[in-house]
Amino acid sequence: MPNENYNNIFANLAKASASNLKEILLTTDQKLHDALLAASRATALKQFGNKIYIRGLIEFTNHCKNDCYYCGIRCSNNKATRYRLSKEEILSCCQNGYDLGFRTFVLQGGEDPFFTDEVMVDIISAIKKLHPNCALTLSIGERSLKSYKAMFSAGADRYLLRHETANAKHYSLLHPEKLSLANRLDCLNNLKEIGYQTGTGFMVGSPFQTIDNLLEDLLFIKKFEPQMIGIGPFISHHDTPFRDKTSGTLQQTLRLIAMLRLMLPKALIPATTALGTIDPCGREQGILAGANVVMPNLSPIVVRSKYSLYDNKICTGEEAAECINCLKMRMQKIGYEIVVDRGDYRE
Ligand code: SAH
């Protein structure tokens, strides 16, 4: 790709041909990589200024009925110490978060049959009653249309469900036979149809992932037009079948964040904890590559290390207040500012 055409292509990345996208994914030209990140950062600055949205992550259960090969809380991992937070504990995390300036709470967990629609509706209603000015995001996997509707009616605003990979063959290499890409996509379509601000995404460098898979991920996300896009490097967990698989890289994750920012300028894109885990300044670099969200942990310290999706996860020993202060400083150092805001998607 000739130099002078970089910026032109970056500015129109949503319309770029598959072969141009692939060329960018594959390039070893450091100048092109740097120019891509600079263009993406400029786009994020234009959309959001130097403001960074925060989401308070509450990891409320690590029980899971699924057996995803990459995940540390898969049901076959009998070394995992299981826990679930009570409604009161969840509400207390929210209150703590509210006092620290959070206006979005994210309830994330394994697919835990204990949390039936009835139980979820009760928790969601209670959170929304106590914090009517806050957004509530769910990240609890695949459920029925009826379930998604009930939780939306109870007040849930957003839903995160990474598609994990847009290639069905690749999907089958990461998941047991019971789980299918088709069902995951049905769920995503249902969520969007119901009216949730919907997030999807994938792991970068997951086992067996090819460049063509990543290209399919980009094209899928462009077509689906989610309001939120979560990507982070795959990191192996020592008690999973993928214990010996190589982790995703910082460089490739940053490149994909940048490409997604340019393709969907308004999307809410977090610099994920996984990115902060593979590099001490991973989250800062994610922001500088075009991300505009961070998701500090509000879970009680006693459960932090038990929500172990991958090895060496950061922030497992810190109080929420320490976590947010550390992030505030990190963002300030690179010229950004954490704001008290729901941080909704803007058309
Ligand atoms: N049960 C919910 C939440 C899953 S945890 C659901 O099914 O959506 C959130 C995300 O963590 C997953 O979507 C996956 O992309 C990511 N994740 C899981 N294991 C990981 C690993 N070993 N390395 C990096 N990310 C991982």
Side-chain angles (χ1 to χ4, degrees):
M1 211 181 289
N3 269 13
E4 62 273 19
N5 286 344
Y6 286 177
N7 284 325
N8 209 359
I9 288 172
F10 296 158
N12 294 295
L13 210 62
K15 294 188 199 107
S17 65
S19 78
N20 268 342
L21 291 175
K22 190 165 170 176
E23 214 175 315
I24 297 175
L25 283 171
L26 280 169
T27 191
T28 53
D29 178 352
Q30 189 63 37
K31 272 205 204 120
L32 192 149
H33 176 87
D34 294 344
L36 174 79
L37 266 56
S40 165
R41 186 191 312 174
T43 300
L45 280 168
K46 194 169 145 215
Q47 292 292 330
F48 308 101
N50 72 337
K51 308 286 185 270
I52 301 294
Y53 296 138
I54 47 171
R55 321 297 195 196
L57 189 61
I58 304 170
E59 299 157 334
F60 71 109
T61 173
N62 74 348
H63 289 262
C64 192
K65 65 175 157 70
N66 288 335
D67 216 13
C68 310
Y69 304 144
Y70 46 84
C71 183
I73 63 169
R74 63 200 299 267
C75 62
S76 290
N77 180 11
N78 53 23
K79 298 220 178 92
T81 316
R82 305 288 168 171
Y83 74 91
R84 40 178 89 90
L85 300 184
S86 66
K87 178 181 166 189
E88 290 66 37
E89 287 171 313
I90 295 172
L91 290 175
S92 131
C93 292
C94 292
Q95 187 58 51
N96 185 19
Y98 191 88
D99 296 339
L100 292 167
F102 288 86
R103 295 298 176 265
T104 291
F105 305 116
V106 183
L107 293 185
Q108 189 180 86
E111 291 195 16
D112 180 353
F114 174 86
F115 291 96
T116 58
D117 297 347
E118 207 185 342
V119 174
M120 284 311 299
V121 162
D122 181 48
I123 295 170
I124 294 163
S125 318
I127 295 176
K128 292 297 284 197
K129 196 171 165 203
L130 285 167
H131 304 291
N133 59 339
C134 293
L136 183 56
T137 306
L138 302 175
S139 175
I140 51 175
E142 299 174 25
R143 296 174 78 108
S144 66
L145 174 65
K146 184 169 155 274
S147 171
Y148 288 152
K149 277 186 178 162
M151 298 190 295
F152 187 75
S153 301
D157 305 273
R158 309 184 188 138
Y159 206 104
L160 303 175
L161 187 77
R162 291 184 174 180
H163 65 284
E164 311 296 0
T165 169
N167 180 284
K169 175 85 206 321
H170 185 219
Y171 197 94
S172 74
L173 298 173
L174 303 179
H175 303 93
E177 220 179 297
K178 267 209 298 203
L179 298 172
S180 70
L181 176 61
N183 196 56
R184 198 98 181 151
L185 298 182
D186 280 348
C187 287
L188 279 167
N189 288 322
N190 286 342
L191 289 163
K192 213 166 176 220
E193 185 71 30
I194 292 167
Y196 283 97
Q197 291 178 45
T198 305
T200 196
F202 56 93
M203 290 175 287
V204 177
S206 63
F208 316 112
Q209 184 179 67
T210 63
I211 287 291
D212 285 315
N213 293 154
L214 287 171
L215 182 60
E216 288 173 88
D217 288 324
L218 291 178
L219 296 174
F220 164 71
I221 291 179
K222 184 182 87 175
K223 188 152 162 257
F224 184 67
E225 286 201 305
Q227 284 84 13
M228 301 167 284
I229 308 168
I231 67 168
F234 159 76
I235 303 172
S236 66
H237 185 289
H238 62 283
D239 288 321
T240 64
F242 288 166
R243 61 179 63 83
D244 296 325
K245 302 288 186 201
T246 327
S247 294
T249 66
L250 175 73
Q251 176 95 339
Q252 198 173 36
T253 309
L254 296 176
R255 186 175 298 183
L256 283 153
I257 289 176
M259 293 177 80
L260 287 162
R261 166 61 65 216
L262 290 166
M263 293 170 79
L264 294 102
K266 296 174 195 154
L268 300 159
I269 305 181
T272 57
T273 307
L275 193 54
T277 298
I278 53 160
D279 186 286
C281 291
R283 286 171 300 176
E284 290 91 322
Q285 296 196 62
I287 298 296
L288 294 173
N292 73 312
V293 171
V294 287
M295 301 174 70
N297 205 314
L298 289 180
S299 313
I301 286 204
V302 285
V303 306
R304 291 273 180 103
S305 57
K306 297 183 188 130
Y307 196 81
S308 161
L309 308 180
Y310 47 82
D311 288 340
N312 305 317
K313 192 169 156 223
I314 53 167
C315 309
T316 50
E318 289 159 47
E319 290 290 354
E322 291 175 75
C323 242
I324 183 70
N325 283 334
C326 160
L327 266 171
K328 271 183 190 160
M329 261 163 30
R330 285 170 179 269
M331 294 299 118
Q332 263 168 23
K333 269 195 189 142
I334 55 166
Y336 287 76
E337 184 197 349
I338 282 178
V339 289
V340 178
D341 196 306
R342 276 174 53 122
D344 282 297
Y345 182 81
R346 294 221 171 77
E347 286 297 338

